[in-house]
Amino acid sequence: MQQRFHYIDNLRGLALLLGVVFHAALAYGPYFHNMWLSVDTNKHVLFDYLAMWTHLFRMPLFFVIAGFCAAILVTKRGNGHFIRNRSKRVLLPFVIFLPLTLLVLFQLMVWGAEFSDHPPPLVNLLMAVKEPQINTMHLWFLWYLMQFCALFWLLNKNQRLISKLLEVVVKPVFIVVALPVVISAGMAHLVVPFPAPHTLQPQLWAYCTYGLLFMLGASLYHHHNIVLAALRYFKPLVLVACLTVGAYFYLLPEAPSLEQVRIAVNTGETRVAHINLLLVVVQTLAILSCTAVAYLAGYRWLNQYNEYSRYISDASYWIYLMHIPVLMCVQIPLSNTLLPAFAKFTISLSTTLLVGFISYHFGVRYTVLGMLLNGTKATPMQSKAMDSPR
């Protein structure tokens, strides 16, 4: 088995950076007017489609990759090292960044409500909540990733059990039949598009979806020949993805009303009264087919080392952690201008990424924070010294 899976590094970075694209697009999509912190009055439906499409596969893809990396770490370094590493790289950043993010976002909401000519409806709702629910915001993925890592650590204490589970998860009948059924059952009562599991209390549907995809990723490491075999079905999977995404867009319900959002904000409730089984199944098939296409495309075209793509992969973790406050700082002032939605989206996205990469390079990469997020990195001076003849 190869020493390093470069496509995994590259896909991980792309999945996280797609999160920045997703959140930037929310401000300019009409569908999300009542659901985002920095919505703008200038909108275009294209941003609805961009946000909904990326939402279908970016985090499912991330958890497949996370499971793959977990299996690598357990295999190469041992189970004890794995849980210590993940506690440091996943749990500790969550504990540090969650209160900081919530504090900064609260201050930004107060400022935005006063500064913006058209304050977002969600901001007004949040400011009026007397007993707010604890919300993990965009850091929910760290909270669930740590839970999955802890369970994976426990399962690895019984080698016969984990080996059998990983064999089952990668079987075609499980991937094609059982996985869609379990995900659809878990999501059956949820609103569509499916929400992020923001609460601290674990949600069963998230385990049915992201937890199983995490296990699938771990299994793909141990049975990597499955990936090569699956390449034969790449074109049919692209067709399935196109058809299911098209059907998903066609079947989407109306955007949530402000009253529905108010109830969700106050109670954390994201269930529906009546199940639309067809829509749930189509959504599940779109999730899985888009995730499979993205994964196989990465294996096919991104499985080579490139110093720039590796740098982007390293930086993506930091950029994702800090991007929401930066986006709000850019998008709120832009909301008072008459620029077209496409111009605002381009400015807010490019500015956020620029701030992210600059802050990573000069303030994170070679610091204690960089070691926490990505491990030790040799500085340019150290790299030059190591490369020089002795």
Side-chain angles (χ1 to χ4, degrees):
M1 194 170 282
Q2 67 188 78
Q3 289 298 307
R4 191 166 192 98
F5 298 88
H6 297 299
Y7 79 100
I8 292 294
D9 290 329
N10 294 329
L11 281 176
R12 179 178 55 199
L14 289 176
L16 289 173
L17 293 182
L18 270 179
V20 185
V21 176
F22 168 74
H23 289 126
L26 291 179
Y28 308 108
Y31 195 91
F32 299 97
H33 181 74
N34 293 328
M35 295 183 281
W36 191 237
L37 297 170
S38 53
V39 293
D40 200 293
T41 53
N42 292 349
K43 302 179 184 296
H44 196 284
V45 71
L46 178 64
F47 295 109
D48 283 339
Y49 293 128
L50 176 61
M52 291 179 189
W53 174 61
T54 56
H55 180 59
L56 285 170
F57 69 91
R58 64 182 186 87
M59 293 315 295
L61 176 64
F62 173 83
F63 279 101
V64 173
I65 294 166
F68 194 102
C69 294
I72 292 176
L73 201 54
V74 170
T75 302
K76 293 188 174 182
R77 299 291 185 88
N79 207 28
H81 177 87
F82 164 72
I83 197 64
R84 290 191 298 271
N85 177 278
R86 287 307 181 247
S87 298
K88 174 184 175 183
R89 302 280 176 81
V90 177
L91 181 59
L92 191 53
F94 177 77
V95 171
I96 293 172
F97 279 91
L98 180 61
L100 291 175
T101 301
L102 290 174
L103 179 62
V104 171
L105 288 182
F106 177 77
Q107 296 300 323
L108 286 174
M109 284 193 296
V110 173
W111 166 69
E114 297 176 353
F115 184 85
S116 177
D117 294 338
H118 305 280
L122 180 59
V123 170
N124 293 330
L125 281 178
L126 291 172
M127 298 293 287
V129 174
K130 295 181 180 179
E131 297 181 4
Q133 302 284 317
I134 297 178
N135 193 308
T136 55
M137 301 297 295
H138 64 298
L139 304 182
W140 67 266
F141 79 103
L142 292 177
W143 179 230
Y144 276 89
L145 179 55
M146 192 61 224
Q147 293 174 52
F148 300 154
C149 287
L151 289 173
F152 192 63
W153 169 68
L154 289 173
L155 287 171
N156 271 283
K157 289 181 175 293
N158 187 326
Q159 283 301 307
R160 289 183 62 185
L161 175 62
I162 189 65
S163 297
K164 189 63 178 176
L165 283 174
L166 295 180
E167 285 178 10
V168 170
V169 168
V170 83
K171 287 184 180 296
V173 68
F174 181 88
I175 296 173
V176 176
V177 179
L179 186 59
V181 169
V182 173
I183 292 177
S184 295
M187 289 189 172
H189 291 277
L190 289 179
V191 296
V192 177
F194 62 98
H198 285 141
T199 60
L200 284 176
Q201 180 180 354
Q203 298 183 32
L204 180 61
W205 76 265
Y207 273 74
C208 291
T209 304
Y210 300 119
L212 285 179
L213 291 173
F214 179 94
M215 290 297 292
L216 176 60
S219 185
L220 288 175
Y221 170 73
H222 289 288
H223 306 276
H224 202 252
N225 58 305
I226 298 294
V227 179
L228 185 60
L231 281 176
R232 294 177 295 173
Y233 305 103
F234 182 74
K235 289 182 179 179
L237 280 169
V238 171
L239 178 60
V240 171
C242 291
L243 292 175
T244 54
V245 170
Y248 173 71
F249 287 153
Y250 179 78
L251 294 171
L252 270 177
E254 293 183 357
S257 66
L258 197 58
E259 177 61 19
Q260 289 173 310
V261 174
R262 185 190 66 79
I263 293 172
V265 167
N266 281 287
T267 65
E269 184 59 60
T270 56
R271 292 174 172 265
V272 293
H274 303 287
I275 299 172
N276 185 336
L277 186 58
L278 176 60
L279 178 55
V280 171
V281 171
V282 167
Q283 178 179 247
T284 297
L285 295 177
I287 289 169
L288 293 176
S289 58
C290 287
T291 302
V293 167
Y295 188 94
L296 292 175
Y299 178 74
R300 190 170 186 175
W301 289 297
L302 299 177
N303 198 20
Q304 57 274 327
Y305 176 78
N306 180 287
E307 60 179 315
Y308 298 109
S309 60
R310 182 60 195 276
Y311 182 93
I312 291 171
S313 177
D314 289 342
S316 63
Y317 191 8
W318 161 252
I319 292 173
Y320 191 80
L321 291 177
M322 51 75 71
H323 79 279
I324 294 289
V326 178
L327 260 181
M328 289 184 66
C329 286
V330 179
Q331 289 183 330
I332 290 173
L334 283 175
S335 69
N336 291 339
T337 71
L338 298 178
L339 291 171
F342 289 95
K344 292 182 178 183
F345 172 78
T346 303
I347 293 170
S348 60
L349 177 60
S350 57
T351 302
T352 300
L353 290 175
L354 183 63
V355 171
F357 279 113
I358 291 175
S359 60
Y360 172 75
H361 189 82
F362 294 103
V364 175
R365 185 170 173 83
Y366 305 116
T367 66
V368 173
L369 181 55
M371 291 176 60
L372 173 66
L373 299 180
N374 295 316
T376 306
K377 298 292 178 187
T379 66
M381 292 287 289
Q382 292 170 332
S383 297
K384 190 175 294 185
M386 287 187 290
D387 293 339
S388 60
R390 302 191 178 214

